[in-house]
């Protein structure tokens, strides 16, 4: 398998084993997203279109969009609307203009309600048309309206007069009359070109014919990001953060000893085998935090795969019996051993309890939990050795070495290491055979759950 397949399998294992935690995190993220949306009230955008008749170039149309969003037009619109709490700068940020198909300019206005968005767009369109009409000379009175036509008539009369003077000068035979006639012809030609250019001046003359293609339509939805998008984004971000955090834990713990030989080498002892425990939660702790951990599934290891066994109850019993047999072979005579379990390792604690039941009185085992940060074991009493039981990947190599040093400091010989793993198939390991064997031998297995200080777990 490649790295991508391993990552997908890890993500699926996280979702399968921590789905309750992910559900709580998703709800929390959705609530945070909802609270964030309250800080950003919804906005609505309405648009109105304006048609510019005539022939327009691309640059000229872009110029018109700049005029529509200019400070002159928007300031006039702000005065007409007279909205309290909305400054001219905010109004400029809420209005935009763009060129659509043909000579159509779309002017959009954004506001906190549908009605205000419509009013803003319509008012900006009206102010834009009034301003462009003023530029074209359509809003300055009768004299301004007659300006281009009067100029054109004056130019035509001047051309006729120049023609008459040229004809009159042409009857003379002197050099001066010929030069005068030539200059008059040139002047007439220049004026005729000016008249033609004035007639072809389309944009300024066509501004009086600007067509508003209906009022602004009512907005159908809020402008992104909407409240729903905030809620969904919050839930997804929180889920992603939790999954990335779990993957970061995997990357940090991927180099921890996981196989029997690696763990035993770090402990400085011989490997005795791997045993499996069922996936049923082992309720041995009480308190509010313990109940919360069980409810969210935090008491089950997700970063360790189940051992390669069928998961059948009989198969798990065989594994425990094999470990007990190897342990007896390493002991020259029946002895009392101390079963050392890292504190907080639920899988190892459950495996140690079942191992005590299967071993019976040969050897006689007593379970203690040892702190990983400060490993301290009780002084040697009747036990002559120690048996380490821990789950795969639970401790680093220095932590395993620290537990081994704590055993040596308390004068316990580590006779072996047992690796515990979690089965995916729920089931309960029977202890009837070991219990019957203990009764047959006339002894009983000691109670499981006393830690290094003698308090019950």
């Amino acid at each position: 398998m490649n790295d991508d397949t391993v990552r997908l399998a890890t993500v699926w294992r996280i979702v399968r084993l921590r789905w309750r935690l992910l559900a709580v995190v998703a709800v929390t993220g959705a609530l945070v997203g909802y609270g964030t949306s309250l800080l950003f009230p919804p906005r609505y955008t309405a648009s109105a279109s304006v048609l510019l008749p005539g022939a327009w170039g691309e640059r000229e149309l872009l110029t018109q969009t700049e005029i529509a969003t200019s400070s002159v037009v928007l300031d006039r619109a702000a005065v007409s609307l007279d909205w309290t709490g909305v400054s001219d700068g905010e109004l400029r940020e809420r209005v935009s203009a763009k060129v659509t198909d043909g000579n159509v300019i779309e002017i959009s206005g954004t506001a906190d309600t549908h009605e205000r968005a419509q009013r803003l767009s319509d008012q900006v369109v009206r102010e834009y048309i009034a301003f462009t009409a003023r530029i074209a000379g359509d809003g300055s009175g009768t004299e301004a309206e007659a300006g281009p036509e009067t100029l054109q008539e004056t130019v035509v009369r001047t051309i006729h007069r120049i023609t008459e003077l040229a004809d009159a000068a042409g009857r003379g035979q002197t050099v001066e009359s010929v030069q005068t006639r030539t200059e008059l012809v040139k002047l007439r030609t220049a004026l005729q070109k000016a008249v033609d250019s004035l007639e072809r001046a389309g944009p300024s003359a066509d501004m009086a014919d600007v067509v508003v293609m209906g009022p602004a339509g009512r907005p159908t939805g809020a402008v992104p990001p909407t409240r729903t998008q905030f809620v969904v984004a919050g839930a997804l971000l929180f889920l992603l953060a939790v999954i990335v955090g779990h993957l970061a834990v995997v990357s940090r713990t991927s180099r921890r000893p996981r196989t029997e030989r690696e763990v035993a080498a770090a402990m400085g002892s011989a490997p005795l085998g791997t045993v499996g425990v069922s996936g049923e939660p082992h309720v041995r702790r009480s308190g509010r935090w313990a109940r919360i951990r069980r409810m969210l599934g935090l008491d089950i290891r997700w970063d360790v795969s189940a051992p390669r066994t069928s998961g059948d109850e009989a198969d798990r019993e065989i594994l425990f019996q094999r470990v007990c047999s190897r342990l007896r072979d390493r002991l020259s005579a029946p002895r009392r051993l101390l079963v050392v379990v890292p504190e907080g390792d639920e899988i190892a604690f459950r495996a140690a309890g079942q191992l005590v039941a299967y071993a019976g009185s040969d050897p006689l085992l007593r379970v203690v939990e040892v702190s990983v940060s400060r490993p301290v074991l009780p002084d040697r009493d009747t036990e002559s050795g120690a048996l380490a039981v821990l789950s795969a990947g639970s401790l680093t190599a220095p932590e395993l070495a620290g537990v081994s040093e704590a055993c040596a400091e308390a004068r316990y010989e580590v006779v072996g290491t047992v690796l515990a793993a979690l089965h995916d198939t729920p089931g309960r390991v029977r202890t009837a055979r070991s219990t019957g064997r203990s009764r047959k031998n006339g002894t009983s297995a000691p109670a499981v759950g006393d830690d290094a200080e003698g308090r019950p777990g």
Side-chain angles (χ1 to χ4, degrees):
M1 293 189 298
N2 54 20
D3 293 340
D4 294 335
T5 305
V6 174
R7 293 192 187 99
L8 290 176
T10 304
V11 171
W12 168 244
R13 190 161 60 247
I14 294 172
V15 174
R16 182 169 54 87
L17 296 179
R18 295 290 173 87
W19 64 270
R20 294 179 181 177
L21 174 64
L22 296 179
V24 173
V25 168
V27 172
T28 304
L31 293 177
V32 172
Y34 180 80
T36 305
S37 67
L38 298 179
L39 303 177
F40 300 91
R43 298 292 182 90
Y44 302 90
T45 299
S47 302
S49 299
V50 177
L51 175 62
L52 304 179
W56 293 81
E58 182 178 356
R59 292 185 178 180
E60 294 172 342
L61 291 174
L62 293 177
T63 302
Q64 294 302 315
T65 60
E66 294 294 332
I67 294 174
T69 56
S70 62
S71 58
V72 177
V73 174
L74 297 183
D75 289 344
R76 291 175 179 270
V79 172
S80 301
L81 293 173
D82 192 21
W83 285 347
T84 58
V86 179
S87 62
D88 296 343
E90 293 178 354
L91 196 64
R92 293 188 185 97
E93 295 177 356
R94 297 184 180 186
V95 177
S96 62
K98 64 179 181 179
V99 179
T100 58
D101 297 336
N103 296 345
V104 178
I105 296 179
E106 185 180 78
I107 300 176
S108 303
T110 303
D112 52 358
T113 61
H114 302 83
E115 294 77 9
R116 281 197 166 194
Q118 288 177 301
R119 287 184 57 194
L120 177 60
S121 299
D122 292 335
Q123 188 62 39
V124 172
V125 168
R126 285 192 289 268
E127 297 297 338
Y128 164 68
I129 293 176
F131 182 70
T132 53
R134 179 184 176 187
I135 295 176
D138 293 328
S140 303
T142 307
E143 183 178 357
E145 292 176 359
E149 290 79 3
T150 303
L151 178 61
Q152 187 173 3
E153 292 177 0
T154 302
V155 172
V156 172
R157 287 197 301 269
T158 303
I159 291 175
H160 288 311
R161 181 58 180 165
I162 290 174
T163 302
E164 293 176 356
L165 292 175
D167 293 340
R171 288 193 293 268
Q173 299 299 326
T174 62
V175 176
E176 290 78 3
S177 63
V178 174
Q179 291 179 348
T180 301
R181 189 173 184 275
T182 302
E183 294 295 332
L184 290 174
V185 170
K186 291 180 179 180
L187 180 60
R188 183 180 63 182
T189 303
L191 287 174
Q192 185 64 43
K193 290 182 178 180
V195 171
D196 295 339
S197 300
L198 184 62
E199 291 177 351
R200 290 194 302 268
S204 61
D206 291 336
M207 290 308 300
D209 299 328
V210 173
V211 179
V212 180
M213 302 175 65
R218 185 180 181 86
T220 57
V223 178
T226 63
R227 180 162 297 174
T228 302
Q229 291 174 340
F230 270 112
V231 172
V232 174
L236 292 178
L237 285 177
F238 273 57
L239 280 175
L240 183 62
V242 172
I243 293 177
V244 170
H246 280 71
L247 294 178
V249 172
V250 171
S251 63
R252 190 175 66 250
T253 61
S254 59
R255 297 183 179 180
R256 291 183 176 182
R258 293 180 179 274
T259 63
E260 298 178 17
R261 295 185 179 277
E262 291 176 349
V263 174
M267 288 289 298
S269 61
L272 297 181
T274 301
V275 296
V277 295
S278 63
E280 295 179 353
H282 185 83
V283 181
R284 68 182 186 92
R285 302 183 184 275
S286 59
R288 180 181 303 175
W289 176 242
R291 289 194 297 268
I292 293 175
R293 285 177 59 87
R294 288 194 296 270
M295 181 182 65
L296 298 180
L298 298 178
D299 57 342
I300 300 176
R301 293 283 302 275
W302 60 270
D303 56 336
V304 179
S305 302
R308 294 184 179 180
T309 59
S310 62
D312 183 71
E313 182 179 337
D315 295 337
R316 291 196 295 271
E317 185 176 352
I318 292 174
L319 293 177
F320 276 99
Q321 291 176 351
R322 288 177 179 175
V323 169
C324 293
S325 177
R326 292 169 187 157
L327 182 59
R328 296 188 193 98
D329 293 339
R330 292 188 59 83
L331 301 177
S332 57
R335 297 163 56 182
R336 295 176 61 91
L337 297 178
L338 198 68
V339 181
V340 179
V341 178
E343 188 177 19
D345 195 339
E346 296 287 341
I347 299 175
F349 189 89
R350 289 154 58 181
Q354 295 179 15
L355 187 62
V356 169
Y358 279 109
S361 59
D362 185 21
L364 194 61
L365 306 178
R366 182 169 70 94
V367 179
V368 295
E369 284 186 285
V370 59
S371 174
V372 178
S373 58
R374 300 181 61 183
V376 177
L377 292 177
D379 293 334
R380 180 174 176 178
D381 187 11
T382 58
E383 293 84 3
S384 59
L387 175 66
V389 179
L390 46 92
S391 60
S394 59
L395 302 180
T396 62
E399 290 172 342
L400 292 173
V403 174
S404 179
E405 291 176 0
C407 294
E409 184 178 357
R411 297 183 301 170
Y412 290 103
E413 177 190 1
V414 182
V415 297
T417 302
V418 178
L419 202 63
L422 185 66
H423 274 273
D424 290 334
T425 305
R428 193 179 300 273
V429 179
R430 294 175 300 189
T431 59
R433 298 185 182 181
S434 59
T435 303
R437 184 170 58 250
S438 300
R439 291 178 179 177
K440 181 178 179 180
N441 296 334
T443 59
S444 60
V448 180
D450 295 339
D451 59 9
E453 298 177 358
R455 63 176 176 81

